[in-house]
Amino acid sequence: TMMRELSGLNSLEEQVKKRLGVEKVIIVSGDSDESPWVKSELGRASATCMKGMLEGENIIAVTGGTTMAAVAEMLTPELGKDILFVPARGGIGEDVKNQANTICAKMAEKAQAKHRVLYVPDQVSNEMYQTIVKEPLIHEVLTLIKSANIVLHGIGDAITMAKRRKTSASDLEKIREKKAVSEAFGYYFNEDGEIVHKVHTIGLQLKDIADVEHVIAVAGGASKAKAIRSYMKQDRQNTILITDEGAAKELLIK
Ligand code: BG6
């Protein structure tokens, strides 16, 4: 629209897209570090973006986090009918309100759509893990997750995420030592976008993301620019980034 052109958001989107090498960039005005309502705007933009993608039956896999929780709040039944929300991965140590299971239930409620949950314990032995994934109900949900046509995820600052989850002292030390900068899907990445640590859970793995039709990353606030840059360092050509002006401007510095 005219307003976006006048405010320079369109040109900012082009610059950030070029810089990160992603499929598309959508920027909302403001900085979510400073004004909480900007997170809701990120949510509104995500809803609009998803609406344009829906075709036939849709399985949307979502991660946890406060940004995803804000996206959930902005969904309405207008989004579409044939949607099933599933959590992208099993529990990765977040508080209930920030968990993917909670968020996908909320999304389904707001959109008047369906959802499935995936409750698996965080820390299990390999033997137990092999048994759990063969449980028919779990197996069924995992199959649904792997066939998601849309993945909606947050990107976090590595240390913030490690502290927010109940990360062990030794893992926290490893994350620090290896200079992790960003986190997504339970993976921790360094400045070059290389994986330096991973939380062991079932569900979508990073390598699966490359084959998903639509991947939407939602992350805003100037303080997240470093994390966004790190996560986008590797090939994220099929990712649409929804962010805010605060993060975008910071991303273009250096
Ligand atoms: C977590 C996701 O729940 O939220 C992470 O599993 C993501 O992958 C993080 O990085 C982002 O959280 P927030 O609160 O900054 O949106």
Side-chain angles (χ1 to χ4, degrees), residues 202-253:
I202 58 175
L204 278 189
Q205 306 299 314
L206 191 64
K207 59 169 173 36
D208 301 325
I209 308 300
D211 304 321
V212 176
E213 200 182 343
H214 305 288
V215 182
I216 309 173
V218 194
S223 65
K224 270 204 188 166
K226 258 170 66 187
I228 297 170
R229 187 185 291 125
S230 147
Y231 176 73
M232 298 302 179
K233 264 286 157 68
Q234 301 288 317
D235 183 359
R236 309 287 184 227
Q237 274 188 72
N238 68 337
T239 298
I240 296 179
L241 171 67
I242 302 186
T243 189
D244 60 24
E245 243 182 312
K249 287 187 171 152
E250 194 69 30
L251 274 166
L252 294 176
I253 301 172

Side-chain angles (χ1 to χ4, degrees), residues 39 63-68 92 94 98-100 153-157 161 164-165 183-186 218 224:
K39 254 189 191 172
T63 68
T66 58
T67 311
M68 283 302 120
I92 33 187
E94 288 256 36
N98 287 331
Q99 274 172 21
H153 72 92
I155 301 170
D157 168 76
M161 288 311 299
R164 199 166 88 188
R165 292 172 173 154
E183 184 280 344
F185 308 102
V218 194
K224 270 204 188 166

Side-chain angles (χ1 to χ4, degrees), residues 26 43-55 58 60 62 71-72 75 79 83 85 107 150-152 214 216 242:
I26 298 168
R44 196 194 307 276
S46 308
T48 309
C49 176
M50 274 197 291
K51 194 163 190 268
M53 289 170 173
L54 301 183
E55 251 182 305
N58 299 277
I60 306 182
V62 296
V71 174
L75 299 189
L79 189 60
I83 308 175
F85 290 97
M107 287 189 171
I150 300 178
V151 170
L152 192 59
H214 305 288
I216 309 173
I242 302 186

Side-chain angles (χ1 to χ4, degrees), residues 29-184:
S29 47
D31 183 334
S32 43
D33 285 344
E34 276 154 31
S35 344
W37 52 264
V38 178
K39 254 189 191 172
S40 308
E41 287 308 311
L42 288 173
R44 196 194 307 276
S46 308
T48 309
C49 176
M50 274 197 291
K51 194 163 190 268
M53 289 170 173
L54 301 183
E55 251 182 305
E57 287 175 22
N58 299 277
I59 300 180
I60 306 182
V62 296
T63 68
T66 58
T67 311
M68 283 302 120
V71 174
E73 289 300 332
M74 298 311 286
L75 299 189
T76 64
E78 259 176 67
L79 189 60
K81 279 179 193 60
D82 256 324
I83 308 175
L84 176 71
F85 290 97
V86 291
R89 294 189 59 186
I92 33 187
E94 288 256 36
D95 277 348
V96 173
K97 65 176 187 325
N98 287 331
Q99 274 172 21
N101 276 318
T102 312
I103 289 166
C104 82
K106 186 80 192 177
M107 287 189 171
E109 183 196 320
K110 289 280 183 178
Q112 286 174 23
K114 291 180 287 245
H115 80 282
R116 298 292 295 269
V117 291
L118 180 69
Y119 284 115
V120 281
D122 278 350
Q123 307 288 342
V124 292
S125 65
N126 194 41
E127 198 185 8
M128 175 68 101
Y129 176 88
Q130 297 305 335
T131 312
I132 289 175
V133 293
K134 284 188 201 109
E135 270 300 308
L137 259 173
I138 304 240
H139 185 80
E140 193 196 328
V141 179
L142 280 175
T143 308
L144 290 169
I145 292 173
K146 298 267 179 179
S147 50
N149 61 322
I150 300 178
V151 170
L152 192 59
H153 72 92
I155 301 170
D157 168 76
I159 303 299
T160 308
M161 288 311 299
K163 284 186 180 159
R164 199 166 88 188
R165 292 172 173 154
K166 287 113 208 146
T167 309
S168 69
S170 61
D171 279 350
L172 188 60
E173 199 187 304
K174 177 183 164 199
I175 289 166
R176 281 215 172 94
E177 207 174 291
K178 298 211 165 166
K179 300 196 168 60
V181 176
S182 63
E183 184 280 344

